[in-house]
Amino acid sequence: MAALTIRRRAGASGAGPARRATAAGFRFGLPLRGAVLALSALYFLVPLLASGRFALEGARGTWTLSAVRALAHDGALWSSLLLSVEIALGAAAITLALLSPTSVWVNLRLPRLRRVLEGLTLVPLVVPVVVVVLGLYGAFPPAFVTSPALLALEYVVLAMPYSYRVIDGAVQSLDLHTLTDAGRTLGGGWVQTFFRVLLPQLRTSLMSAAFITIAYCLGEFAMASLLGFTTFPVQLFQIGTEQIDEATAVSVFALLLVFLLLATLSLLGGKRRVARGSIVAGGDGTAAEPPRPARAGRS
Amino acid sequence: MRRTGAASGQVPRRGALRLRRLAPFAGIVPFLAYLVLFLGVPSASVVAAAFEDPQGRLTWGNLHLALQGTYLLSFEKSLELSAWSAGISAVAGTILAVALASSTSSTLKRLATSASAVFANTGGLPLAFAFIASLGNFGVVTRVLAGLGWNPYDHGFDLYTLTGLVIVYCYFLVPLMVLVMLPAVESLRREWFEAASILGARRRDAWRHVGVPALAPQLLAATMVLFVDAFAAYATAEALTNGAIPLVPIQIGTLIQGNVLAGQQNVGDALGLAMILVVAASALAYARLQRRTARWQR
């Protein structure tokens, strides 16, 4: 406090009110912002571009598709991709089936436990994957540990910190009480209300959660490798030990694909939300988020 | 709670009331059971095995073994790597979050957010390959720099070292930091800044006395998350160094893959337990720090 008072006098005589008034809050000015963003773009894009160049490089600096072509005929790679996709779809289905009812239930009936549950979904972030693998070998019968189903079941847990956040955020933005009351007044049971009233409202977010889970599964290496499954990343690692340019080619394409998917999804999600917000808010197009439901008289 | 009266239409008896109060918890049982089965049970099994010898008798031997020689060295290396990566990423990520929050383009922000979500989960192989392709001995960037007369490998740089790993780890830790800090930075209110300005604060003072303290709890929390994330990472290090740098997750991976000396079957579990302890300690430190910050803020 004292420091601020002293500075006040200094400021009053020195910088003057004009300089203070133009300050735009806790933000960076254009030059600093530009420099930071440019440096970051450099750090994040150069390795990607380098991978692209590396993957398409022929002898003595020419461009060639030979690495890509070799991969297209790599049967082992395709079968590993198939395994990964199967596991990913399984994990996404379990994620939606397990997490969306849980989130709806907690927000509707146990709002006090919302924070606790959110905390629980973050626990997988702090238990190292290698430790989970050790535990799986110790706790489950060998027949179960060697089944790809286990990998899908575990990926649900590992991706939960991300998927639950997306689902729970969307559920929280719904006016749950009004929607369920409406559904039940119209004669629907809990199950019917959940499937026919709530789920359609959550469609975009559930899709995001599914995609996040799928993206996680398609990229996860540690658990798959240590459990001995030849998933896509494990096969990629195998290729990488012999043909680093081929491996780089695949990984850069896979990464671009995932990025495009998620970017499209988030842009679509943003547009949808604006549109819905404008209807509810009575034509106020600036509402970037759906208005929070009034909670008066509830809970 | 709202429906209790309307649904039954009569005063419920005592037992019924207790049942009704517990009924809502039934809805989260499947979720809890799932988490216990697929995360709780394996973790507990590691903790239990850490104190057992191969014949199933209680022993301290595994832990004793896990805290000497190569294993101790791997802990030192892992801690060093995680501390550096988390520290650098926390600072860089916060600065980047402020820069993004300063931008007026909502498209840029949305794009940056989804890009961060992707990059934060990029760890693993693509990341290792991308850095080998750019900064490896024959990487694109290395060759460009060498062409300009400054080959980093002639000046002490090596991607396949701890320094290299720090550079690579920042690639997924900085975006994670951005994801966590962007909402916090955007919640810094312009009015607070103006209030500080009116009290005579210069830009630097406003940041030091208002902005940074307001961000501190989030910042410390996120740094702990980054630390744990770096500490537990396996895939990137494995793909980049092929196990050349002894890190704890790599050691455990090697043990899982069957490179075990006779009589030391459970030393991996002891390492796992030690990892859990390090993580728990970070969580505890975080809770403490945050409580102190919160008290100081009041």
Side-chain angles (χ1 to χ4, degrees):
Chain A
M1 212 58 229
L4 277 183
T5 337
I6 292 162
R7 292 242 169 76
R8 178 182 184 187
R9 272 183 231 120
S13 60
R19 190 180 149 195
R20 297 199 307 243
T22 50
F26 293 105
R27 302 287 184 255
F28 286 162
L30 189 59
L32 186 53
R33 187 203 317 166
V36 170
L37 290 179
L39 267 179
S40 310
L42 205 68
Y43 175 64
F44 286 106
L45 292 182
V46 162
L48 289 184
L49 296 175
S51 311
R53 174 71 184 123
F54 207 68
L56 301 175
E57 191 164 45
R60 275 169 278 121
T62 52
W63 295 80
T64 171
L65 279 172
S66 65
V68 183
R69 224 176 283 133
L71 287 164
H73 300 290
D74 188 336
L77 187 69
W78 286 106
S79 63
S80 75
L81 184 60
L82 187 68
L83 176 64
S84 272
V85 168
E86 283 170 5
I87 289 171
L89 291 178
I94 302 170
T95 295
L96 296 186
L98 183 72
L99 297 187
S100 53
T102 303
S103 167
V104 167
W105 187 267
V106 165
N107 280 284
L108 203 57
R109 303 296 297 275
L110 296 165
R112 278 193 198 156
L113 285 187
R114 222 189 61 219
R115 277 297 162 95
V116 178
L117 225 74
E118 213 179 285
L120 281 178
T121 60
L122 295 181
V123 173
L125 280 183
V126 299
V127 184
V129 171
V130 280
V131 174
V132 179
V133 175
L134 263 180
L136 291 176
Y137 278 117
F140 293 136
F144 190 38
V145 179
T146 50
S147 148
L150 177 70
L151 205 52
L153 291 165
E154 282 297 334
Y155 281 169
V156 173
V157 175
L158 296 187
M160 193 181 282
Y162 316 104
S163 54
Y164 185 78
R165 185 157 285 218
V166 172
I167 294 174
D168 197 51
V171 170
Q172 274 180 52
S173 74
L174 292 182
D175 189 352
L176 272 184
H177 286 285
T178 308
L179 287 173
T180 47
D181 284 352
R184 303 205 9 109
T185 309
L186 290 170
W190 281 110
V191 175
Q192 210 176 0
T193 305
F194 177 75
F195 278 105
R196 301 189 52 184
V197 179
L198 298 180
L199 279 197
Q201 298 272 333
L202 296 171
R203 204 172 40 202
T204 320
S205 312
L206 293 184
M207 253 173 66
S208 303
F211 272 107
I212 287 172
T213 310
I214 290 171
Y216 186 94
C217 297
L218 292 183
E220 207 281 341
F221 169 76
M223 182 173 275
S225 147
L226 292 175
L227 285 177
F229 296 110
T230 311
T231 58
F232 185 63
V234 176
Q235 184 63 28
L236 211 57
F237 180 81
Q238 287 301 326
I239 298 174
T241 53
E242 296 146 19
Q243 288 290 327
I244 189 73
D245 56 335
E246 288 185 10
T248 311
V250 189
S251 75
V252 75
F253 286 130
L255 201 64
L256 279 178
L257 203 68
V258 171
F259 178 69
L260 278 178
L261 263 176
L262 288 185
T264 318
L265 212 69
S266 90
L267 287 179
L268 279 181
K271 258 186 211 129
R272 262 183 61 94
R273 231 173 286 147
V274 171
R276 209 193 310 156
S278 66
I279 294 165
V280 183
D284 178 12
T286 55
E289 285 184 340
R292 287 244 153 180
R295 287 275 159 88
R298 306 269 189 212
S299 78
Chain B
M1 199 161 89
R2 298 173 306 125
R3 286 204 183 75
T4 43
S8 59
Q10 59 183 15
V11 182
R13 273 170 313 170
R14 219 147 201 229
L17 199 71
R18 189 173 302 146
L19 202 68
R20 195 159 279 149
R21 207 170 285 158
L22 282 178
F25 290 93
I28 55 171
V29 165
F31 169 81
L32 293 180
Y34 196 97
L35 212 55
V36 166
L37 184 59
F38 291 111
L39 190 65
V41 169
S43 310
S45 140
V46 168
V47 175
F51 295 104
E52 281 173 8
D53 66 8
Q55 281 75 44
R57 286 173 304 218
L58 275 179
T59 173
W60 288 100
N62 300 319
L63 280 171
H64 194 68
L65 214 64
L67 290 177
Q68 51 178 283
T70 340
Y71 298 127
L72 184 66
L73 182 72
S74 71
F75 266 103
E76 284 167 13
K77 290 282 176 201
S78 265
L79 291 175
E80 202 181 334
L81 170 64
S82 331
W84 276 108
S85 329
I88 294 173
S89 304
V91 175
T94 308
I95 292 175
L96 183 52
V98 176
L100 283 171
S102 311
S103 161
T104 45
S105 155
S106 69
T107 310
L108 175 71
K109 269 185 226 173
R110 261 207 316 262
L111 213 62
T113 312
S114 15
S116 300
V118 175
F119 285 126
N121 292 311
T122 298
L125 302 187
L127 188 57
F129 291 154
F131 271 91
I132 293 172
S134 35
L135 282 171
N137 307 43
F138 303 103
V140 175
V141 176
T142 308
R143 275 178 291 162
V144 168
L145 287 177
L148 295 172
W150 193 84
N151 189 335
Y153 280 81
D154 295 339
H155 293 79
F157 175 82
D158 190 346
L159 183 65
Y160 312 100
T161 59
L162 212 63
T163 318
L165 276 180
V166 170
I167 296 176
V168 178
Y169 275 28
C170 286
Y171 200 84
F172 60 87
L173 293 178
V174 170
L176 190 58
M177 193 70 187
V178 170
L179 282 182
V180 179
M181 290 309 285
L182 194 55
V185 171
E186 291 202 310
S187 74
L188 283 181
R189 304 190 49 158
R190 194 190 169 134
E191 288 82 357
W192 299 347
F193 191 89
E194 283 163 0
S197 294
I198 290 166
L199 289 172
R202 288 167 294 173
R203 173 163 285 276
R204 191 165 19 120
D205 303 323
W207 270 110
R208 198 178 136 205
H209 293 288
V210 183
V212 173
L215 290 179
Q218 274 281 36
L219 206 143
L220 290 173
T223 310
M224 286 302 163
V225 173
L226 299 192
F227 178 84
V228 168
D229 206 23
F231 188 68
Y234 169 81
T236 315
E238 171 73 11
L240 198 64
T241 68
N242 254 320
I245 301 178
L247 299 169
V248 184
I250 305 258
Q251 297 281 0
I252 296 181
T254 318
L255 289 172
I256 290 176
Q257 282 161 343
N259 304 318
V260 193
L261 294 173
Q264 300 190 3
Q265 279 88 338
N266 288 0
V267 75
D269 297 280
L271 284 175
L273 173 64
M275 268 187 109
I276 293 178
L277 287 180
V278 168
V279 169
S282 330
L284 215 66
Y286 152 60
R288 267 238 151 125
L289 276 169
Q290 204 183 28
R291 205 184 313 147
R292 189 174 297 171
T293 320
R295 195 192 303 149
W296 175 79
Q297 267 187 328
R298 238 181 275 143

